[in-house]
Amino acid sequence: MHATNGYRRKGPDYLSNPDMVAFTIGRVVMAKMTTGRPLSRNTLRARLMHIAEGDTVDLPAGVNAEMALAALRYLPALPEVSRFKG
């Protein structure tokens, strides 16, 4: 199954620890901020997905695919945005 479709691949249980998730997200956010590019929850989620899929380009130190998957599982789902308001 695709790594970002259901997040089925599992790593060690300690990866789901809130402290480890915070570490992973913090590393990804700091790496993203050093590029000078905009950061949003969408770009954070996209970067975590790329790492989870095995993308190692500009991989933050100490972060791997299993950690990214655990962080994705921990993040709340993005709300659906409707084009129709009212």
Side-chain angles (χ1 to χ4, degrees), residues 9-16 66 69 73:
R9 201 170 67 208
K10 292 216 174 205
D13 288 337
Y14 71 87
L15 293 177
S16 296
E66 287 76 21
L69 280 172
R73 282 188 213 100

Side-chain angles (χ1 to χ4, degrees), residues 8 16 21 34 53:
R8 291 204 181 180
S16 296
V21 170
T34 63
E53 292 170 346

Side-chain angles (χ1 to χ4, degrees), residues 39-56:
L39 178 67
S40 69
R41 64 180 172 185
N42 290 332
T43 57
L44 172 60
R45 187 175 292 278
R47 184 63 184 125
L48 287 169
M49 285 182 184
H50 287 137
I51 294 169
E53 292 170 346
D55 180 5
T56 58

